[in-house]
Amino acid sequence: MFIGDLLIAHGLVNQADINAALDRQRTQGGLLGENLIALGKITPSDLASIIQSAPQPPKSIAETGIAQADLLNLMMKAMYSAAAETASKIADVIKLPHRIVQLLTEEARERKLIEALGGTGGTLALSELRFTLTEKGKAWALDALSQNQYVGPAPVPLTDYTDRIRRQRISGERVDREQVDHAFANLIISEEFVRAVGPAINSGRSILLYGPPGNGKTSVAERIGSVFADVIYIPYCFEVEGQIIKVFDPSIHKAAMTAADSASKGTALRREDFDRRWVACRRPFIVTGGELTLEMLDLSFNAIAKFYEAPLHIKALGGTFVIDDFGRQIIKPEELLNRWIVPLESRVEYLKLHTGKSFSLPFDELVIFSTNLAPRDLMDPAFLRRIPYKMEVGGPPPDEYRRIFKTVANGMKIDVSDEIIDFVLAELRERNDFPLAGYQPKFIIEQVKAACKFEGTPEACTIDLVKMALGNLYTKDTPGFGVTAAARARSPEAQQELARQAFPNAA
């Protein structure tokens, strides 16, 4: 990790500031941080805060928290499998400081596991000793690989991972009104919903999003996940009872660096003292849907490679975990809910190794249940009580529906008149009994554009094309088809509702 990455990720500087500091560094020397301070881009306290918040590198083998024998095994596997033949290359593979790798190579040489081949060439100042495995060393590496085939960054101990989770807890980040407004800027939502979702985000507790399909529950969940700005640290892996559990997943965890930074690292940015076994990332955001099973919430042990992969909700620690389409999983909802009771209530998650050993981790993440089924059909009151924030994402009222229609049409570069929207509203609500939904405008316009493309005519919304699109929106056996507003008013249910409104205290 480089200091420039962290400063940009925390919003303290931008790439132009970094470039200016690099220019000064070439002429004046010094560290990047020192040059940023000299240019007035950051303060000394800003720099100190960023450096101190990052995991500090171990200064000795003991400070890694991992047994020397395990580190030696990891180094030997890196030399055997990753062709790492110098201390620098070994350090790049196992992500430990150069000094610790030197200590490990000295230990390996004393045990006659490796031998020096000479320098790497180049100038004397840049030359490094090259090492190769002896026959004894190859046997050692193969034995280490038989224990587990993990080759990569050294693990961090469970205690360090636990401490880091607590230090960077999601409820510790304050999300203000401006951040929420920015995250939801391209969605049309009510002021009432914004006032409700803000406290829910800041709580770091669980949220239930419910309501009919097609009204943006998944989009709302995505915006909630994107609202966080803090940088957190994710370990490549951690160790429990000699077992390695992988956590960092590049498909999930987005490293806090820019493309511009990466291009200049080779010559300009100088590495600061960070523990490279950790990756600075944005808070993770993970969505799982109908494919979720109970087994997916347990550690995954590879019987051949003999190490573990952390489950998705552990990879989501410090971030947001969305259970989409809740109630449509293969397993019964109550079984899935029972699995979540302890983590949601006690904020602690318990996991079990294949050896039978159990361990715990702080369960710090924002869990969002999203469903288009009735909550009362999915969970009992006891579990519903454990979800402190419950927000309905319902269909838009007519005025919001108009705004959605106009916004979608502008985004898809097609004109939609007020008369067309009036026709759609009348068709859905007066001539039939269909609820308005946020997805409908996009559905209708896409159908119109496809029809125009087929006919070879300019893209334009006409009554005939919109009527055809509406015909694909529902079928004749859809509940509500052909039920007029007048018929609804005459229905027994409507009459009973009117009676309840007129005589609210009647038995």
Side-chain angles (χ1 to χ4, degrees):
M1 176 51 61
F2 294 83
I3 190 64
D5 296 329
L6 291 177
L7 293 172
I8 290 177
H10 282 278
L12 294 173
V13 299
N14 55 36
Q15 188 61 44
D17 296 331
I18 295 292
N19 292 339
L22 292 173
D23 289 340
R24 188 180 189 279
Q25 186 184 52
R26 294 185 187 99
T27 58
Q28 303 292 324
L31 299 176
L32 179 67
E34 295 169 345
N35 283 280
L36 286 167
I37 292 172
L39 292 172
K41 303 299 183 182
I42 58 173
T43 66
S45 60
D46 287 335
L47 182 61
S49 175
I50 294 300
I51 293 176
Q52 291 168 9
S53 68
Q56 299 302 297
K59 296 181 176 62
S60 65
I61 289 177
E63 285 189 11
T64 66
I66 306 300
Q68 178 174 313
D70 292 335
L71 294 179
L72 186 60
N73 283 349
L74 188 60
M75 184 186 78
M76 299 298 288
K77 288 187 288 185
M79 294 183 69
Y80 184 85
S81 301
E85 58 180 13
T86 66
S88 293
K89 289 182 179 178
I90 294 170
D92 285 339
V93 174
I94 67 176
K95 305 297 184 187
L96 288 176
H98 194 271
R99 175 57 184 156
I100 291 179
V101 173
Q102 285 183 320
L103 294 173
L104 292 172
T105 57
E106 290 171 8
E107 175 72 15
R109 292 182 75 176
E110 290 180 5
R111 293 172 179 253
K112 301 190 184 308
L113 301 177
I114 63 175
E115 58 186 10
L117 294 177
T120 56
T123 64
L124 183 61
L126 297 176
S127 180
E128 270 193 287
L129 277 179
R130 293 168 51 241
F131 297 103
T132 188
L133 297 174
T134 62
E135 289 303 316
K136 182 180 179 182
K138 291 177 182 177
W140 186 294
L142 289 171
D143 180 65
L145 285 167
S146 70
Q147 295 175 42
N148 71 71
Q149 296 180 18
Y150 175 78
V151 179
V156 302
L158 174 64
T159 53
D160 286 7
Y161 186 31
T162 297
D163 178 64
R164 179 58 54 175
I165 294 169
R166 289 177 176 143
R167 289 181 60 182
Q168 59 198 24
R169 64 188 186 279
I170 195 167
S171 60
E173 178 176 352
R174 178 179 178 267
V175 176
D176 59 26
R177 176 60 185 262
E178 183 179 354
Q179 289 172 273
V180 173
D181 287 342
H182 178 74
F184 287 87
N186 61 346
L187 287 183
I188 297 174
I189 58 174
S190 67
E191 173 66 19
E192 180 183 3
F193 187 86
V194 172
R195 287 199 302 268
V197 78
I201 293 172
N202 277 281
S203 75
R205 303 302 294 267
S206 53
I207 298 173
L208 173 65
L209 299 176
Y210 66 97
N215 286 298
K217 290 184 294 296
T218 302
S219 295
V220 167
E222 289 172 351
R223 299 313 190 280
I224 292 174
S226 71
V227 77
F228 298 100
D230 275 1
V231 173
I232 66 172
Y233 295 89
I234 307 292
Y236 283 100
C237 58
F238 67 100
E239 184 198 57
V240 181
E241 296 289 313
Q243 304 293 318
I244 292 176
I245 302 169
K246 288 184 64 178
V247 178
F248 178 74
D249 186 336
S251 67
I252 292 172
H253 300 114
K254 307 306 178 187
M257 66 170 59
T258 65
D261 281 337
S262 301
S264 62
K265 281 176 180 172
T267 59
L269 281 176
R270 178 171 174 174
R271 193 190 312 272
E272 297 286 354
D273 288 333
F274 302 123
D275 190 341
R276 293 196 293 156
R277 294 178 295 171
W278 301 81
V279 184
C281 299
R282 297 296 182 186
R283 292 192 183 275
F285 176 80
I286 298 176
V287 180
T288 183
E291 74 280 4
L292 183 63
T293 64
L294 288 179
E295 290 74 19
M296 293 172 65
L297 299 175
D298 294 328
L299 292 170
S300 175
F301 180 69
N302 187 319
I304 297 175
K306 299 180 182 177
F307 61 85
Y308 295 84
E309 186 82 20
L312 285 178
H313 68 297
I314 297 301
K315 293 181 180 182
L317 287 172
T320 304
F321 187 68
V322 180
I323 304 175
D324 205 9
D325 289 328
F326 179 62
R328 301 190 184 279
Q329 283 71 29
I330 299 173
I331 59 175
K332 295 179 180 179
E334 55 268 26
E335 293 178 358
L336 188 58
L337 290 172
N338 287 335
R339 174 63 177 80
W340 285 95
I341 284 179
V342 172
L344 291 179
E345 185 77 10
S346 66
R347 309 300 289 171
V348 175
E349 172 64 312
Y350 293 91
L351 298 168
K352 181 178 287 188
L353 301 170
H354 76 286
T355 60
K357 172 72 176 181
S358 294
F359 65 94
S360 64
L361 283 170
F363 188 71
D364 182 74
E365 60 192 54
L366 182 63
V367 179
I368 300 177
F369 297 90
S370 175
T371 183
N372 53 35
L373 302 176
R376 65 177 180 273
D377 295 335
L378 291 174
M379 57 188 78
D380 59 32
F383 193 90
L384 202 57
R385 175 178 57 82
R386 290 178 167 86
I387 303 179
Y389 294 92
K390 309 163 190 69
M391 285 170 279
E392 182 179 13
V393 184
D399 58 334
E400 283 188 12
Y401 192 85
R402 288 179 182 277
R403 289 171 55 203
I404 294 171
F405 220 122
K406 290 287 187 181
T407 301
V408 171
N410 290 336
M412 299 179 73
K413 295 179 172 54
I414 189 169
D415 290 330
V416 175
S417 66
D418 290 334
E419 290 74 18
I420 289 291
I421 300 178
D422 289 339
F423 172 80
V424 172
L425 289 169
E427 185 71 18
L428 293 174
R429 301 300 295 132
E430 295 177 15
R431 286 185 280 277
N432 297 283
D433 187 22
F434 295 122
L436 301 180
Y439 80 95
Q440 293 166 355
K442 184 182 179 187
F443 179 93
I444 293 168
I445 293 173
E446 285 178 342
Q447 295 261 330
V448 168
K449 289 171 72 75
C452 292
K453 181 179 179 180
F454 172 71
E455 297 291 347
T457 59
E459 292 182 347
C461 271
T462 65
I463 293 294
D464 287 341
L465 291 179
V466 169
K467 186 180 294 185
M468 181 189 69
L470 289 171
N472 289 324
L473 192 62
Y474 43 74
T475 60
K476 290 185 176 181
D477 61 351
T478 302
F481 183 86
V483 180
T484 65
R488 288 199 309 277
R490 292 193 301 268
S491 69
E493 293 80 6
Q495 295 299 323
Q496 290 174 10
E497 179 60 27
L498 287 173
R500 281 193 294 268
Q501 293 176 8
F503 306 101
N505 295 322

